[in-house]
Amino acid sequence: MQPILSVRDLAARLGIEAGYLREVGRDIESHYKIQPLKQGAKVRMLAIPQAELKMIQRRINRAILAKVPLAKAVYGGVAGGSPRKNAAEHANQRCVITMDVKHFFPNVRHYMVYRMFRSELGFGRDVASILTRLTTYRSYLPQGAPTSTAVANLLLAAPVDVPMSAEAERQGVRYSRFVDDIAISGENPRPLINKVAKLLSSRRLPVHRRKINGPSKLRIAPSGVAQRITGLIVNAQNGLSVPRERRDKVRAAIYALRRAPKHELKKAVASIRGKITHIAQFNAAAAKRLNTYLDGTLRQRLDG
């Protein structure tokens, strides 16, 4: 795509007046709502853009960010990409290594985003400044904004994806990235661990290396153990598979419906059915058993 050199050009591409873009950018915090998201025992704070800013960010995605080509190794936040396709790239390999960036979104600072727009995409100074204001919150990349994944992809494209894809091809191994989840696999992908770490460090982004609390974020899995990538086992006998513990959690959630408050039942059942639908893509027999168990549990509640 051609670099955007002036704010007038930016406004024309977005179909939004330049003055309005500046106005929203000057008071960006008022256009966000902080919302907690509970994930197991952890609570993650999301910065959710309000309607006006969300509209602008969606246009930035369509008119600008989505038009910049990315490496084939990128599967997250791109058209046609998915966790399934990312995992399938590493099916039946001798060794699979996964790692991710430590506190990725909070560690992506506003000056990194500005540099990406200004130096790597060649945008004008004022254009880069306005786009940085419109896509960051309190000087970091906010989880919850529709532009964040696309900005993250562009931020890692030139310094990480391009050299890693080339290096992986030279060494006969596979490399892929799903946002900040990185996977490499093959006969001996271990030498690429330090390569990935150094490239991310050039962006001032650290990788998880040591176990702190819970399982290590740097996982080296030979073919004799379950190899997991983006939530799927990639070396199961019959193809990609949902891990057994995730299926067991769905079964436990169905059991919990017996005592669930009536006003929460509809939402809980919808959530469970969505998870079973996901499982059915990979483990049809297990999904059928879960659906049977769910239907039986619901009948028992009605009969009771």
Side-chain angles (χ1 to χ4, degrees):
M1 108 178 245
Q2 290 294 321
I4 304 173
L5 302 179
S6 69
V7 176
R8 179 182 295 179
D9 186 10
L10 173 65
R13 296 197 194 200
L14 298 180
I16 302 171
E17 291 183 0
Y20 184 65
L21 293 175
R22 290 192 176 97
E23 179 185 335
V24 172
R26 278 194 296 266
D27 189 26
I28 198 69
E29 289 197 23
S30 69
H31 292 275
Y32 279 97
K33 179 181 179 181
I34 304 304
Q35 179 176 308
L37 174 66
K38 189 172 182 181
Q39 296 179 313
K42 296 181 179 179
V43 177
R44 180 175 293 175
M45 304 305 292
L46 301 183
I48 308 297
Q50 300 304 287
E52 293 176 336
L53 178 58
K54 186 175 288 186
M55 177 272 293
I56 293 172
Q57 290 176 336
R58 284 175 174 166
R59 293 196 187 186
I60 290 172
N61 260 347
R62 288 197 305 268
I64 301 171
L65 304 180
K67 294 186 180 298
V68 182
L70 297 169
K72 292 180 180 179
V74 180
Y75 289 93
V78 297
S82 68
R84 179 177 191 154
K85 290 183 178 180
N86 181 56
E89 181 68 22
H90 303 275
N92 302 313
Q93 296 298 303
R94 187 178 184 87
C95 180
V96 169
I97 297 173
T98 56
M99 62 188 83
D100 65 12
V101 179
K102 189 174 182 180
H103 307 308
F104 179 62
F105 285 95
N107 272 328
V108 175
R109 309 302 295 172
H110 65 289
Y111 60 84
M112 302 178 188
V113 177
Y114 175 84
R115 184 177 63 181
M116 181 267 293
F117 282 126
R118 179 76 176 116
S119 301
E120 293 170 21
L121 297 185
F123 290 178
R125 184 179 291 106
D126 290 343
V127 174
S129 179
I130 289 177
L131 286 174
T132 300
R133 284 181 175 273
L134 292 172
T135 57
T136 59
Y137 170 76
R138 293 186 176 177
S139 300
Y140 67 89
L141 200 60
Q143 283 185 275
T147 46
S148 289
T149 297
V151 168
N153 280 337
L154 293 179
L155 192 78
L156 297 177
V160 179
D161 296 330
V162 171
M164 277 305 305
S165 295
E167 184 67 20
E169 185 174 357
R170 278 194 296 272
Q171 297 200 25
V173 300
R174 302 182 181 193
Y175 162 82
S176 74
R177 182 174 61 78
F178 195 93
V179 193
D180 66 318
D181 291 325
I182 292 171
I184 48 179
S185 67
E187 286 293 314
N188 182 26
R190 286 177 175 83
L192 273 69
I193 294 174
N194 285 336
K195 175 79 171 177
V196 172
K198 288 179 181 178
L199 291 172
L200 287 170
S201 181
S202 73
R203 276 296 197 202
R204 298 188 182 182
L205 295 171
V207 296
H208 281 281
R209 282 184 176 269
R210 291 180 297 177
K211 179 178 178 180
I212 302 173
N213 292 313
S216 173
K217 294 293 186 77
L218 170 61
R219 300 183 180 94
I220 301 174
S223 57
V225 302
Q227 299 170 334
R228 304 183 186 209
I229 295 178
T230 45
L232 295 169
I233 295 175
V234 299
N235 63 332
Q237 186 174 1
N238 296 319
L240 299 180
S241 175
V242 175
R244 178 175 294 277
E245 60 266 26
R246 287 181 62 185
R247 288 178 268 154
D248 288 345
K249 284 182 180 180
V250 175
R251 176 170 287 276
I254 295 172
Y255 181 82
L257 292 177
R258 301 181 183 197
R259 294 182 175 81
K262 189 174 181 180
H263 68 278
E264 295 179 1
L265 187 62
K266 184 177 180 181
K267 183 178 179 181
V269 170
S271 175
I272 289 169
R273 289 203 185 277
K275 292 173 182 177
I276 294 175
T277 298
H278 172 71
I279 292 170
Q281 298 177 57
F282 310 98
N283 307 85
K288 185 177 181 180
R289 290 192 295 270
L290 288 170
N291 269 320
T292 300
Y293 182 40
L294 174 60
D295 292 339
T297 300
L298 294 176
R299 280 196 301 270
Q300 287 179 6
R301 271 197 67 128
L302 288 173
D303 294 341

